[in-house]
């Protein structure tokens, strides 16, 4: 069964399972407890924090464990905007193609008086420093631009973006959602560029339900989850030492294998996309800098839902866009932001390859796509041609 939905969730790494299995009998205690068992769990948590900090190019005190990418994003936005309102900075600038975990909390603050400004991507799906720069001024409290888009796979130039923000909105906190880039790209440059960064464990081959909000020293952020003094009083709730260690091991393996895996997966993706193009599909974006595993294509004239159901019946896992929107009939906000024709956009599918994808998976997936598209009546070429205009 070819699995082409790694951007939604990728299998847990064997090394992670091996590393954490013994911990269920040695590090089960509450890391905040004052007894020896608690101290054992605390040691695991501390080691995980130190390793993640080192791999991300941060200090251990800058790593806050959360329940995942969604919470880290929610917190970065809400925590910064609360403070911005108190300090007389009413503007927030966010890209229109952020994950909903960024967009929805930002939208909620509009009722509280935040002026939310959306930066649109260019035709290639990239959010540029140039487009952002025109929207900045000294009343901006928050700029949140994702490191790479989860649907399109397009990578943004965070260095250039951060430079522009520092020049034009010097009081703004810069947040980036690095959930999709973490398995593939060096995050140390991103860490250096921003104030807050979101990372999620399960996209790396760790466990679901663990994430990090990297908050640089000196960045003041209102607490979001209340009810305890954990994480230096910044995030309440019993800490998950085993989940944290799973994330540390997953990140260590990702950093170690990144170059080899990235090159191998990019090659497979190339072969897969060439096969899709030969069947009449079109790539929706042609950005210079893409994540190695993403293939975002349009099957013009066909319905996304029909395609996904057809693929699924034949054993091929793919998605419409973000996983939460999978199977939904409405146009994704990311595709809508590209300003493409609705009919064409209906046949959009995100395939995402990952570390475990093989050449045989690509062969099998292409055969399933060909059979499914054929059964649905084929791609309507005039519409495909329109997309390329
Ligand atoms: N941000 C992006 C870009 C994502 O792709 C995802 C998950 O798909 C999230 C945030 C949410 O992360 P999590 O599943 O850890 O809550």
């Amino acid at each position: 069964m070819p699995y082409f939905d790694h951007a939604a969730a990728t299998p847990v790494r064997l090394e992670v399972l091996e590393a954490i299995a013994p911990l269920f009998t040695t590090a089960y205690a509450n890391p905040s407890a004052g007894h020896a068992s608690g101290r054992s769990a605390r040691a695991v948590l501390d080691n995980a924090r130190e390793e993640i900090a080192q791999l991300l190019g941060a200090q251990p005190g800058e790593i806050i464990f959360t329940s995942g990418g969604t919470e880290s994003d929610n917190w970065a936005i809400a925590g910064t905007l609360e403070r911005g309102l108190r300090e007389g900075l009413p503007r927030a600038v966010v890209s229109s193609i952020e994950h909903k975990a960024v967009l929805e909390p930002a939208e909620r603050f509009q009722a509280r008086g935040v002026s939310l400004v959306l930066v649109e991507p260019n035709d290639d799906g990239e959010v540029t420093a140039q487009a952002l720069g025109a929207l900045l001024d000294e009343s901006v409290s928050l700029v949140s631009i994702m490191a790479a888009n989860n649907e399109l796979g397009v990578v943004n130039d965070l260095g250039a973006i951060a430079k522009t923000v520092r020049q034009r909105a010097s009081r703004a906190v810069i947040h980036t959602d690095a959930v999709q880039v973490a398995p593939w790209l060096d995050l140390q440059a991103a860490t250096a560029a921003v104030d807050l960064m979101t990372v999620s464990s399960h996209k790396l081959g760790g466990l679901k339900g663990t994430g990090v909000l990297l908050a640089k020293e000196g960045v003041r952020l209102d607490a979001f989850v209340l009810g305890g003094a954990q994480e230096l009083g910044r995030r309440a709730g019993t800490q998950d030492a085993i989940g944290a260690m799973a994330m540390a091991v997953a990140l260590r393996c990702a950093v170690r294998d990144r170059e080899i895996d990235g090159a191998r997966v990019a090659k497979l993706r190339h072969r897969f996309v060439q096969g899709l193009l030969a069947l009449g599909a079109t790539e929706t974006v042609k950005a210079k800098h893409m994540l190695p595993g993403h293939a975002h294509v349009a099957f013009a004239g066909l319905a996304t839902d029909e395609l996904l159901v057809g693929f699924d019946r034949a054993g091929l896992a793919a998605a419409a866009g973000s996983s939460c929107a999978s199977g939904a009939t409405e146009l994704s906000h990311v595709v809508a932001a590209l300003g493409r024709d609705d009919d064409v956009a209906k046949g959009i599918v995100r395939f995402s390859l990952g570390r475990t994808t093989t050449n045989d998976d690509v062969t099998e997936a292409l055969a399933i796509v060909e059979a499914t598209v054929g059964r649905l009546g084929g791609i309507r070429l005039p519409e495909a041609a329109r997309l390329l205009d």
Side-chain angles (χ1 to χ4, degrees):
M1 299 246 294
Y3 180 79
F4 279 56
D5 201 15
H6 286 267
T10 199
V12 176
R13 285 177 184 265
L14 195 59
E15 285 142 301
V16 169
L17 291 177
E18 284 169 357
I20 64 171
L23 300 180
F24 285 93
T25 51
T26 58
Y28 51 81
N30 189 324
S32 301
H35 45 64
S37 299
R39 283 194 295 278
S40 295
R42 161 70 57 185
V44 170
L45 183 68
D46 289 347
N47 288 342
R49 195 189 307 280
E50 271 167 34
E51 178 157 25
I52 290 172
Q54 189 247 320
L55 292 165
L56 295 180
Q59 296 301 316
E62 296 176 325
I63 301 298
I64 312 172
F65 287 111
T66 66
S67 67
T70 301
E71 184 192 321
S72 297
D73 279 350
N74 276 214
W75 184 13
I77 304 309
T80 307
L81 291 182
E82 277 293 352
R83 188 165 280 279
L85 282 175
R86 279 206 306 277
E87 294 179 356
L89 302 174
R91 242 161 111 84
V93 183
V94 165
S95 95
S96 63
I97 57 170
E98 292 300 304
H99 193 278
K100 293 279 184 177
V102 165
L103 284 172
E104 286 187 11
E107 282 159 10
R108 197 176 264 204
F109 270 83
Q110 286 177 295
R112 307 256 315 269
V114 165
S115 156
L116 178 62
V117 182
L118 297 179
V119 199
E120 297 297 339
N122 65 16
D123 280 352
D124 294 328
E126 184 183 348
V127 180
T128 64
Q130 200 183 11
L132 176 68
L135 305 172
L136 298 174
D137 63 30
E138 289 296 345
S139 69
V140 174
S141 64
L142 166 77
V143 174
S144 184
I145 307 292
M146 65 206 318
N149 183 265
N150 48 303
E151 296 190 29
L152 308 173
V154 175
V155 179
N156 295 316
D157 183 349
L158 278 183
I161 284 171
K163 194 169 160 204
T164 303
V165 177
R166 303 292 184 215
Q167 281 165 354
R168 302 197 188 176
S170 62
R171 295 175 71 191
V173 167
I174 307 177
H175 167 250
T176 193
D177 176 335
V179 168
Q180 291 293 334
V181 299
W184 304 114
L185 303 178
D186 180 8
L187 284 183
Q188 299 210 356
T191 300
V194 304
D195 302 304
L196 297 172
M197 183 163 77
T198 293
V199 187
S200 170
S201 181
H202 73 98
K203 312 286 183 182
L204 290 161
L207 304 180
K208 290 167 192 68
T210 313
V212 153
L213 180 62
L214 186 157
K216 288 274 199 61
E217 201 187 332
V219 175
R220 292 174 307 150
L221 193 67
D222 281 8
F224 185 60
V225 177
L226 307 175
Q230 291 90 349
E231 299 294 297
L232 300 175
R234 295 172 296 185
R235 197 271 185 186
T238 302
Q239 291 141 312
D240 177 8
I242 298 174
M245 185 48 81
M247 184 167 182
V249 177
L251 186 60
R252 182 200 308 156
C253 295
V255 168
R256 181 195 64 201
D257 300 343
R258 203 145 44 198
E259 237 168 85
I260 291 170
D261 278 352
R264 193 185 65 81
V265 169
K267 234 165 119 180
L268 289 177
R269 175 195 176 277
H270 180 74
R271 187 183 150 229
F272 182 57
V273 169
Q274 293 311 305
L276 294 177
L277 298 183
L279 295 174
T282 45
E283 280 186 280
T284 53
V285 285
K286 294 201 187 327
K288 224 175 26 229
H289 198 179
M290 299 274 297
L291 293 176
H294 273 65
H296 194 262
V297 297
F299 296 88
L302 296 178
T304 298
D305 284 358
E306 274 184 324
L307 285 161
L308 291 178
V309 169
F311 295 158
D312 184 33
R313 283 203 182 123
L316 168 62
S322 73
S323 52
C324 334
S326 294
T329 41
E330 78 264 23
L331 194 64
S332 106
H333 68 286
V334 174
V335 176
L338 292 177
R340 299 289 157 78
D341 179 276
D342 266 17
D343 285 344
V344 175
K346 269 186 199 148
I348 277 178
V349 176
R350 176 191 74 181
F351 297 97
S352 49
L353 292 68
R355 176 176 50 81
T356 56
T357 309
T358 63
N359 204 34
D360 285 350
D361 287 334
V362 171
T363 305
E364 221 179 307
L366 285 172
I368 292 172
V369 171
E370 182 170 16
T372 307
V373 166
R375 215 182 46 252
L376 293 174
I379 293 166
R380 307 219 181 103
L381 288 171
E383 292 185 55
R386 201 147 41 87
L387 189 73
L388 289 174
D389 277 351

